[in-house]
Amino acid sequence: MNLEDSTLRILDANLNRLREGIRVIEDILRYAFNNKNLALKLKNLRHQCKVSSQVNLLLFRDSQNDILKLTTQEEMQRTDLQNIMIANFKRTQESSRVLEEILKLYNPEESQKFKNIRYDLYTLEKEILTTAIPQAK
């Protein structure tokens, strides 16, 4: 696998990670808290998480040989829905940062899009975790 193939594999993994993390938060807001407004904001943000490249990223996916695919003990420690949302906000913010950086090699405009997504996630995290959901006692 050459360097460009590797960066495309990074894009594929992080796009998946970003969309999956947003979906977890979206579904908690939708089904557990019945918050249509915030769930819709997350749904719309999730639909922005794509690249316009003509390259089929699936061709570079190699999940069978992912050297870190095993779950860590820390990933198994979830105490409540708020804790799950916190973990997934961090996951999405990290993924959007990786996409922002890698896309600087291919498409600076798309890089900026993922920077904007990251900052939207920071704003939503604060709104959701400080005002929109009942706080854990």
Side-chain angles (χ1 to χ4, degrees), residues 97-119:
R97 179 58 183 219
V98 172
L99 290 161
E100 175 189 341
E101 292 296 328
I102 297 299
L103 283 166
K104 289 176 182 176
L105 298 172
Y106 299 100
N107 187 329
E109 288 177 14
E110 284 196 336
S111 172
Q112 184 64 44
K113 176 177 80 172
F114 285 97
K115 180 178 183 175
N116 294 340
I117 288 171
R118 182 166 51 90
Y119 277 91

Side-chain angles (χ1 to χ4, degrees), residues 24-41:
V24 169
I25 301 162
E26 176 189 330
D27 279 357
I28 290 171
L29 289 166
R30 178 180 179 180
Y31 298 114
F33 297 109
N34 294 312
N35 192 317
K36 182 180 180 179
N37 182 45
L38 288 170
L40 196 54
K41 282 184 183 181

Side-chain angles (χ1 to χ4, degrees), residues 17-35 38-43 45-46 81-93 121-122 124-125 128-129 132-133:
R17 189 176 295 128
L18 177 58
R19 288 187 297 254
E20 291 163 359
I22 291 173
R23 185 57 182 249
V24 169
I25 301 162
E26 176 189 330
D27 279 357
I28 290 171
L29 289 166
R30 178 180 179 180
Y31 298 114
F33 297 109
N34 294 312
N35 192 317
L38 288 170
L40 196 54
K41 282 184 183 181
L42 285 157
K43 181 179 181 177
L45 191 63
R46 180 171 47 84
L81 292 176
Q82 182 176 350
N83 187 260
I84 292 170
M85 284 196 293
I86 290 168
N88 278 277
F89 267 115
K90 299 309 175 201
R91 178 182 203 216
T92 60
Q93 292 157 0
L121 287 163
Y122 292 148
L124 283 165
E125 178 183 34
I128 290 166
L129 295 175
I133 62 168

